[in-house]
Every structure is written in structure tokens, then in C-alpha cells.
Amino acid sequence: MKGTKVACSAAPPIVLALLFGASAAAQDPPEGLDQLGTDLFAELLFNNQGTDYAIACSVCHGLGESVAGKGERFYADHTPTSLTAGRETTDRNAQTLAGVFRADVFGWDGAWDSMEDMILEKLIGKQYGWKPGARAEAIDNAAYVLLDEGHNAISGVPYLEQFQEVYGLDLESLEREEVAAAAARALADYTRTIDFSMTSRWDAFTEQNRFRKEPNADEDMLNYAASIESRIFNQEGRNLIRRPEGFTETAYEGFKTFFRVFDLESVGNCVRCHVPPTFSDYSLHGIGSGNFKTPPLRNLPRTDPYLHDGSAATIEEVLQGHMELAEAARAEQEGVDPLFGEIRISEADVEPLVQYLLMLDEVDPEDFRYYLINFE
Ligand code: HEC
Ligand code: HEC
């Protein structure tokens, strides 16, 4: 492949399949993958060095404090639409990567059905500053980053050694295109190990009140919602509802609205698309201007702004938009998923829903233990 211009911009899935066979299970990462993944995730050399803005996965999908000083983030970047290495807009908001191993389509509009393909396209494409005509050069560059013994990964262990150890792969025996594909594969395997911690006040609440945390496999969401409703009825009837510290009465009302699917008012219908435990069904839903994947709803304060184009700065704004979608669906507007039409909420429901969604913010294990035993 060296030096050969490949006209097609899509990644070569065949190469990936030949090299590695079927995808490894998310929960069973190979030994050493954590270090290799961490190194590749922060690697700045995949950039077209002719650009002035250094990009790594960790720049747009960062964890912890944001480089721009915009506060904590959770594998996202606090930017409405992420900037490429060439400082062009991607037109899309960076998605959190937690829990994405549960999905089988990737990107807000589900344009990729292979995470490996999507990541390879990042490494040798627009995001890292490579123009469409520069594919061969980009592949050479990606391969060089992994093969060059003079360049140490952040951990100090050369990639050549790490690929040998983790995958038993001798990079030097491969075509350049295969080396680039190997980088994408390792990054996809690593990304599949990233998950939510499931340690929010909401999780403590479900423990304390023995609510079912998620539907069974293939369970109808209406059935799951009904089981939550009957548990609420039961507990309230016996005055047994417990709320962890800080889980207000208002948040509790929001919880009920979120899971309510039948009634005349305060019907969120949210649970039909935002399915626990991550609060996504990983499916596409029509919003009029296109079909977009339901985002998960944990750790929202660390993933703003919201929606595929980052157009909503706050949760309130998202809910205003969802109310408009509900109207549009009831008016049978083309391209709007009828499931939105079953949302029947008013202004009065917004604050409770927002407070409930903030209960999905995850805390460290120590705080979680505190919430488990301290309730109001
Ligand atoms: C320039 C910013 C930027 C960089 C750098 C970047 N991403 Fe992304 N990433 C995005 C954006 C924006 C999206 C949403 C793309 C879309 O919807 O088309 C995304 C989407 C994804 C998705 C799909 C998530 C989902 O829920 O479908 C994965 C997986 C991913 N990125 C992994 C990576 C990895 C691994 C790297 C490093 C090789 C990386 N990204 C580098 C901005 C970035
Ligand atoms: C028909 C499926 C569906 C229903 C019902 C639904 N949502 Fe959504 N939700 C989506 C989709 C799809 C998006 C992304 C839309 C976009 O990118 O423009 C979204 C986005 C969001 C976001 C933004 C999250 C982010 O990271 O960008 C929040 C918050 C949210 N929904 C909350 C709710 C609440 C609360 C309810 C109930 C009142 C609800 N949703 C009902 C499908 C749904």
C-alpha cells in the first residue's frame, strides 16, 4: 500500500477483519491494553504536523479538568461542535465515550457500524487535519508513529513492544495500512472498556427502595415502566420511600414524570428512549432534521453543551426542544418519531425533570457508600 493513492475515503473493514477476526468482548480486555490505550488516546503525533492545533482523542473526549479551564468533563469537550486539527468545525458535539460498547452504530447519526472504521477514519482524516487527497500520507504518518522506535509513547514503552505484548502482533511485518488499522483496533478495544460507574444518588435511591435498575433483555419498555409504577405505588402506600441526602422531593417528582408512560399530564415518556442503566437505547430517532442516536444521560453537568450539534447549552433548553418535538409529532410532522408525541409535559414539569437528571451525576465510591446509608 505504501505510496499508493486510495481514492475511497472510507476505512478498509476487510483489513481489520483479516487482521483480528471478530471483535473481542468489551468486558474482557487483553492484558496491557489499558496502558497501550491510554498512550494512544493521548497521542498527539497522529496529527498532520502542518496544522497548528494538536489533537488527541483526549482533547475532545477528555476526562477531568478541561484544558480550556471550562470545568470537569466526562469524555467530552464542553464545546458546541469540536474543532479539528485544522481548526475547522466537525459540525458535531463530542459524544461521551462511556458505555458506548453497548451500541452497534456510532456517531450521532449512526453513520458507522464499526467503531474501528470510525476511529481509523478519524486518525487519517479531517479530525486530525488530513485533507481528503492526503490519505496515503496520513496512513504513512500513522504507521510511522507506531513503528518509530525513537518515539516513545507517554508510558515510555515503545508501541512496537506494546503491540507485541498485547496482541502478539509484529507491526514491522505488516503493510502500513495494516499498522494504521492496528492502531484503530487498539483504540476501539480500549474505548470499549470505558463505562459509567453507576454510582449516582439515583443508583443509591434504587438500592434503598428496591427499584429495578434496568429492564430485562428484550423486555418491552412499557412493561418495565409499569413495574416501576407499581413499585412506586406500593412503597408510597406504605410510606416507605427513602431518598438519599440531596435527592429532593422535587427530584422525586421528576423521577416519576421520567418513567411515566400513561396518563394525561406529567407524562415524560422519557424511559421509552432513555433506557436505564445508561439512559440510552442506542437507537436512532427522527427529530425532523434527521435521525439521531439517543444520548446517555449520566453525568450531564460534565458533558454540556447538549444535542448532536451542541445547540442546547442547558438541560432546560433540551426539554423546551423536546416539548416542541412532542407537538410536531402530534401534528404528524414528517420525520419526527411518533414516540416524541407521547411526551406530555408542561413548563411545570421542567424543573423536577432537571433536578432528577442531576441525580444521575456519578460520585466517587466513598460518597456513594455515604448516600447508600444516609437518607432523608
Ligand atoms: C476533534 C475532536 C475529536 C477528536 C480528536 C476525537 N473525537 Fe471522537 N468524536 C468527536 C465528535 C464530534 C464525535 C461525534 C461524531 C459524529 O456524530 O459524527 C465523536 C464520536 C466518537 C465516537 C462515537 C461515540 C458514539 O456514541 O457513537 C467514538 C467511539 C469516538 N469518537 C472515539 C474517538 C477516539 C478513540 C479518538 C482518538 C483517536 C477520537 N474519538 C478523537 C470528536 C473527536
Ligand atoms: C423518542 C425518543 C426520545 C424521548 C421519548 C425522549 N428523548 Fe431525550 N433525546 C432523544 C434524542 C434522539 C436526543 C438527541 C437529539 C439531538 O441530538 O438533537 C435526546 C437528547 C436528550 C438530552 C440531551 C443529552 C445530551 O447529552 O445531549 C436530554 C437531557 C434528554 N434528551 C432528556 C429527555 C427527557 C427528560 C425526556 C422525557 C421528558 C426525553 N429526553 C424523552 C430521544 C428521546
Side-chain angles (χ1 to χ4, degrees):
M1 273 299 151
K2 198 193 256 171
T4 322
K5 271 234 166 74
V6 183
C8 167
S9 72
I14 298 287
V15 174
L16 293 162
L18 284 179
L19 264 181
F20 302 104
S23 245
Q27 292 80 355
D28 192 16
E31 185 107 13
L33 176 66
D34 194 46
Q35 180 185 297
L36 174 57
T38 307
D39 281 348
L40 290 169
F41 206 73
E43 182 56 75
L44 293 166
L45 290 183
F46 291 121
N47 284 282
N48 178 347
Q49 298 300 312
T51 58
D52 60 347
Y53 180 45
I55 290 287
C57 315
S58 55
V59 170
C60 302
H61 301 289
L63 184 63
E65 203 67 33
S66 167
V67 271
K70 287 184 199 156
E72 287 279 312
R73 53 195 186 141
F74 192 71
Y75 300 104
D77 64 0
H78 286 318
T79 309
T81 56
S82 307
L83 287 184
T84 69
R87 291 193 185 277
E88 289 169 53
T89 172
T90 55
D91 297 322
R92 290 282 185 265
N93 182 250
Q95 292 164 295
T96 186
L97 299 183
V100 69
F101 67 86
R102 293 178 177 84
D104 34 51
V105 292
F106 306 96
W108 280 99
D109 57 2
W112 289 268
D113 58 12
S114 146
M115 205 196 296
E116 283 81 352
D117 289 354
M118 180 189 207
I119 292 174
L120 183 56
E121 196 170 317
K122 284 171 182 277
L123 293 177
I124 62 174
K126 173 175 150 177
Q127 274 189 13
Y128 280 77
W130 300 100
K131 295 257 180 318
R135 191 167 184 271
E137 199 190 325
I139 288 175
D140 275 357
N141 178 71
Y144 180 75
V145 174
L146 266 54
L147 293 170
D148 179 19
E149 284 178 89
H151 168 60
N152 275 349
I154 290 172
S155 66
V157 185
Y159 288 119
L160 271 181
E161 267 177 45
Q162 294 200 56
F163 273 90
Q164 187 70 58
E165 186 196 315
V166 177
Y167 292 108
L169 208 56
D170 175 14
L171 293 182
E172 283 178 311
S173 71
L174 302 178
E175 298 286 340
R176 306 225 122 194
E177 187 141 345
E178 294 170 331
V179 177
R185 167 62 196 254
L187 277 162
D189 280 345
Y190 174 72
T191 300
R192 280 189 284 264
T193 65
I194 300 172
D195 200 3
F196 295 100
S197 63
M198 314 293 174
T199 54
S200 67
R201 275 180 282 196
W202 158 251
D203 298 290
F205 175 87
T206 59
E207 293 278 336
Q208 287 164 359
N209 300 287
R210 283 181 286 131
F211 280 105
R212 287 172 60 209
K213 289 171 191 295
E214 55 186 286
N216 300 324
D218 299 326
E219 182 178 5
D220 189 309
M221 285 317 284
L222 291 176
N223 196 55
Y224 174 61
S227 83
I228 297 284
E229 186 118 12
S230 76
R231 181 81 197 147
I232 293 172
F233 187 74
N234 229 296
Q235 294 289 91
E236 283 185 354
R238 296 185 295 154
N239 258 323
L240 279 178
I241 291 287
R242 293 168 165 178
R243 288 178 280 112
E245 209 172 284
F247 196 118
T248 62
E249 188 80 45
T250 310
Y252 178 69
E253 286 308 314
F255 145 62
K256 291 202 283 187
T257 302
F258 191 96
F259 283 81
R260 195 174 289 126
V261 290
F262 300 113
D263 219 330
L264 295 176
E265 52 186 34
S266 295
V267 179
N269 202 42
C270 319
V271 68
R272 300 282 289 284
C273 302
H274 294 284
V275 177
T278 64
F279 295 86
S280 173
D281 59 358
Y282 299 99
S283 301
L284 303 179
H285 298 277
I287 65 162
S289 59
N291 296 324
F292 295 101
K293 197 164 81 178
T294 311
L297 299 180
R298 287 175 178 266
N299 303 333
L300 287 176
R302 290 178 272 164
T303 62
D304 63 293
Y306 308 112
L307 304 181
H308 66 281
D309 55 0
S311 59
T314 61
I315 301 173
E316 284 85 350
E317 280 176 46
V318 174
L319 296 183
Q320 296 300 340
H322 272 31
M323 287 198 274
E324 283 164 26
L325 281 172
E327 291 298 331
R330 286 193 283 272
E332 293 180 21
Q333 190 188 309
E334 195 163 321
V336 180
D337 189 330
L339 270 180
F340 280 114
E342 293 177 40
I343 299 177
R344 292 180 193 278
I345 55 171
S346 65
E347 293 298 332
D349 298 307
V350 171
E351 182 55 24
L353 280 169
V354 171
Q355 283 206 26
Y356 169 62
L357 291 174
L358 294 177
M359 295 300 106
L360 305 180
D361 205 26
E362 295 174 338
V363 297
D364 62 39
E366 206 169 302
D367 288 344
F368 185 57
R369 278 193 296 277
Y370 178 87
Y371 287 133
L372 278 175
I373 50 176
N374 288 283
F375 40 83
E376 312 190 323

